[in-house]
Amino acid sequence: MDLAAAQEIDSTLDEWAWELSGQVPAPAEPRPDEADRQVRDYVKDVIRDRAAAERELERLKGYKSALTEQAP
């Protein structure tokens, strides 16, 4: 490749970069296997959060029952 061809390619890439600089890139659609993984991870997170919330609720109910037993 000669110098003129390299400069032409560089110039073209600079033009493309300038033309595209104002556009916001959109995220690519995930592949089916990646989409499945994302859904599985989301479901695991929801189940884990719900289990944690239920444990916290049971803990608070224990405090409430302990307080009501001590009340005169």
Side-chain angles (χ1 to χ4, degrees):
M1 180 182 296
D2 64 346
L3 182 58
Q7 288 175 336
E8 179 64 29
I9 291 171
D10 183 53
S11 174
T12 301
L13 290 174
D14 283 342
E15 288 176 24
W16 290 351
W18 184 81
E19 290 171 3
L20 296 173
S21 65
Q23 298 181 14
V24 177
E29 288 289 322
R31 296 184 325 260
D33 61 322
E34 178 65 16
D36 288 346
R37 186 194 62 77
Q38 290 175 356
V39 170
R40 282 193 306 272
D41 288 349
Y42 174 75
V43 169
K44 283 189 230 178
D45 290 343
V46 168
I47 290 171
R48 187 174 334 144
D49 291 346
R50 181 172 179 150
E54 289 173 354
R55 284 192 303 271
E56 181 67 11
L57 180 61
E58 289 302 316
R59 187 179 71 82
L60 293 174
K61 284 180 181 178
Y63 284 143
K64 181 180 177 183
S65 65
L67 289 174
T68 54
E69 289 173 2
Q70 293 176 1

